[in-house]
Amino acid sequence: MPNKEPNVDDLFKHTEMITKKMHELMTSKGFDEKFATAMINANDPDSKFKADMAVKLSTVLNLMDMFVGYINKPVKKEGMLQRKLDGTAMLDDYPVAVGSLVEFWKDDKWNLGKLTQNSQTKQLTIVDVMTQKTCIDKIEQIKARIR
């Protein structure tokens, strides 16, 4: 029987296994205390650099964990995302809360972002989850889906 060519689902399964293992390590008994102690004891420039890198790695691992959980959910609703006159976001007839992860159609592919709203103008935008840079600066009506 020939070997199956690897695909995106195979890659995702490996990513999920790595994320689960890292999550186990980071939530193990005593990890937070050891992490905090190491951060406090970082006195010289090299140790401070390593401590900063450890915080960044922890952030990336938390994002990976969030992405794995997100992608494993089924699509709950797909339709047109739009801003109503009262400033609320609706995916067809389904309300979408500010702060929600939203997949939106742009450049002939699905993209992941977070729904945000300007507190003064009530303008809805979508920002990139990792960089927080604006992907969609004004939501009028856009093809979207949520999980």
Side-chain angles (χ1 to χ4, degrees), residues 26-86:
M26 292 177 72
T27 56
S28 64
K29 186 177 179 183
F31 177 82
D32 287 341
E33 186 178 320
K34 290 176 188 174
F35 190 80
T37 301
M39 297 297 287
I40 291 167
N41 291 336
N43 296 324
D44 62 273
D46 286 338
S47 294
K48 288 179 181 181
F49 173 75
K50 288 177 182 176
D52 287 344
M53 292 305 297
V55 170
K56 289 176 182 172
L57 284 170
S58 176
T59 301
V60 169
L61 291 170
N62 284 330
L63 280 171
M64 286 176 64
D65 193 38
M66 179 193 69
F67 288 148
V68 166
Y70 176 81
I71 201 70
N72 282 329
K73 294 179 183 177
V75 173
K76 190 186 305 183
K77 179 77 174 164
E78 184 174 328
M80 297 305 290
L81 179 66
Q82 53 192 319
R83 178 185 173 268
K84 295 295 183 188
L85 292 176
D86 64 358

Side-chain angles (χ1 to χ4, degrees), residues 14-25:
H14 288 290
T15 303
E16 187 173 17
M17 288 186 319
I18 292 167
T19 303
K20 281 182 181 179
K21 188 62 180 173
M22 291 305 297
H23 183 76
E24 286 173 19
L25 291 170

